[in-house]
Amino acid sequence: MNKIVIGVMGAGEGATANDGENAYKLGELIAQAGWVLLTGGRNVGVMDAASQGAKSANGLTVGILPGTQAEGISVAVDIAIFTDMGNARNNINVLSSHVVIACGMGAGTAC
């Protein structure tokens, strides 16, 4: 049976404290439902907060990363997928998720 994948997207460095709190709770709820969390995978902003929330509830996390290096990955990402695509990786994020939730707003989120 396929797992349900929920993408949580939002600002990285520009995320507000409220964005982070909301993303953490979203990640937690996604994991509690038994779904897989998919984010941009980096260790900043909404991506990191959602991943941390999912891990706090023993969830599975996937990070679709913009580059080719392990530097800057959230420690809460279980499966890191390197794309070397920069913000163009958002196409992968959306196409790989059953549902996408925008948490806050950033330049990459608005694309």
Side-chain angles (χ1 to χ4, degrees), residues 16-106:
T16 67
N18 192 48
D19 294 340
E21 292 168 12
N22 289 336
Y24 185 94
K25 188 63 177 176
L26 280 168
E28 187 176 47
L29 292 169
I30 288 165
Q32 288 172 353
W35 302 330
V36 175
L37 173 73
L38 183 143
T39 71
R42 294 175 46 229
N43 63 355
V44 296
V46 167
M47 297 169 268
D48 189 46
S51 296
Q52 295 286 344
K55 290 314 300 174
S56 78
N58 298 312
L60 178 63
T61 61
V62 177
I64 308 296
L65 292 136
T68 61
Q69 303 295 320
E71 183 178 324
I73 297 174
S74 171
V75 296
V77 167
D78 295 311
I79 301 169
I81 299 173
F82 300 95
T83 66
D84 197 24
M85 296 176 69
N87 280 339
R89 79 189 192 286
N90 291 338
N91 192 46
I92 294 169
N93 294 346
V94 171
L95 293 175
S96 298
S97 299
H98 291 93
V99 173
V100 175
I101 301 169
C103 183
M105 186 55 65

